[in-house]
Amino acid sequence: MKKRDQWSSNFGFLMAAAGSAVGLGNLWKFPYVVGINSGGIFILAYIILLILLGTPILMSEMSIGRNTRLNAIDACNKLKTGWGFVGGLGVLGAFTILCYYSVIGGWVLKYLFKYIVSPSIDNPSEYFKNFSESIVEPVIWHIIFAIICITIVIKGISGGIEKISKIFLPLLAIFIIVISINVLRLPNALNGLKFFLIPNLSDINSVSDIFSILLHAMGQVFFSLSLGMGTLITYGSYLGRNSNIQKNSLYIPLFDLIIALLACTAILPAVFAFDLEPTAGSGLLFNTLPYVFDHMKYGKYLAIIFFLLVFFAAVTSAISLIEVISSYFIDNKKWSRKKACTISGIGFILIGIIASLSLGTLNNITIFGHTLFDSLIILSDKIIMPIGGFFICILVGYIWKTKNMYDEMSSGGLFKIYFKKTLTFLIKFFAPAMIIIIFITSIF
Ligand code: PHE
């Protein structure tokens, strides 16, 4: 039997798992979702759900992975025959996300090269609109982004993923702080800070407002922590028994939250300083930061470094998504790593092309009133990931049983497990109930 890959150290795993968590979800998505969901209130809901939903599910996924040492589908099947569908949902979710994630990864590459060849971007909003709605260019950048990620995953887990994450993550954190400091010195920037740090209750006019914010916050928790789709099962399956799962499940959300808040600090105050719209939606990052770089000394070079770091963040997340899909084909269908990555890659490249075109030429083709691009986002964040998270809780709480999970987490008694009772309550009752309530109210 071929020996299964393993992370070279717990730090390597942490960096890879944090690398999967920290990505476009934090830098591109979080600020714009905060922008369209009334700022401070959303962040409050987000932090509460991060602690009560995100962390216990993160622990559950890692424990399932390390215990079974299998890909997401076979891992769930091993715990209970017939439950492979939970992992299957993950493989489907990973594929769905990749189709649009790679398109945005392509936008990042485009901005990186734009800054390499020119000193600044004139009229950023119009520039972004023209670019993202055009036919050829976004598609080419999407394909380049996809090929880079696929090539890295073909090299295997410790060879590629771990090495990149160890270097770029600390750099990214430092760099966003530098940008944030500059942004906060702009006139009117403090209003932007207030917008997302101080919850404004007058933004809530009805119960449906509350549920709408909760639904977005829940989707964002799952998306940002890479939950509900087997990423952490897969990464956990390469984890050694000398690693402390409970500690890891505190560090990852904490680091992820810090980066997301820093991204808001770099973007939202600038939105107010330059009199832009916080509700601009998915173009917010690309519409706003060019103004900031234009106002900074050495702006062009800072922009190049920034987009390079965002690119790395996107790559380390995208490769964790490809890993979910390919590890299934490698373990279960006995495909070679190369074949598994190439075939899944061709699939998401093709659908990604249509998703990219759906922002411009094909925007008249809609699904329930949404473009293909938006439909993929809704399908992954609001449907597949929460359902996956729900079943993970049921699987761990009622079938595998939390007692066995704690056994795995403690590495056979090596580590002490804290808050067992609270965790059991969260996994068996709170998290599944919360997911169902938010889910059902969103439908009505
Ligand atoms: N968490 C990643 C991000 O924030 C996206 C992702 C989702 C990665 C699900 C893996 C699984 O960008």
Side-chain angles (χ1 to χ4, degrees), residues 17-30 46 90 93-94 97 100-101 220-232 235 256 313-314 316-322 324 380-381 385:
S20 163
V22 173
L24 295 171
N26 309 58
L27 305 164
W28 157 77
K29 199 171 203 180
F30 192 71
Y46 180 79
I97 295 181
Y100 71 87
Y101 207 86
Q220 181 63 22
V221 166
F222 278 101
F223 187 81
S224 197
L225 286 183
S226 310
L227 291 181
M229 48 190 322
T231 319
L232 270 301
Y235 273 23
D256 190 67
T316 50
S317 299
I319 51 190
S320 74
L321 289 161
I322 303 176
V324 172
S380 61
D381 295 22
M385 300 177 95

Side-chain angles (χ1 to χ4, degrees), residues 6 17 47 55 68 79 84 114 121 144 150 159 177 222 226 243 264 276 294 298 317 325 356 432:
Q6 204 171 60
I47 294 178
T55 312
T68 56
L79 292 186
K114 171 75 184 163
I121 292 177
I144 297 177
I150 295 165
I177 295 177
F222 278 101
S226 310
S243 290
C264 282
L276 306 168
D294 212 23
Y298 309 116
S317 299
I325 307 173
S356 174

Side-chain angles (χ1 to χ4, degrees), residues 402 406 420-432:
T402 41
Y406 299 141
K420 273 192 199 165
K421 281 209 178 106
T422 318
L423 271 175
T424 306
F425 169 76
L426 291 176
I427 293 173
K428 287 179 82 164
F429 306 105
F430 182 83

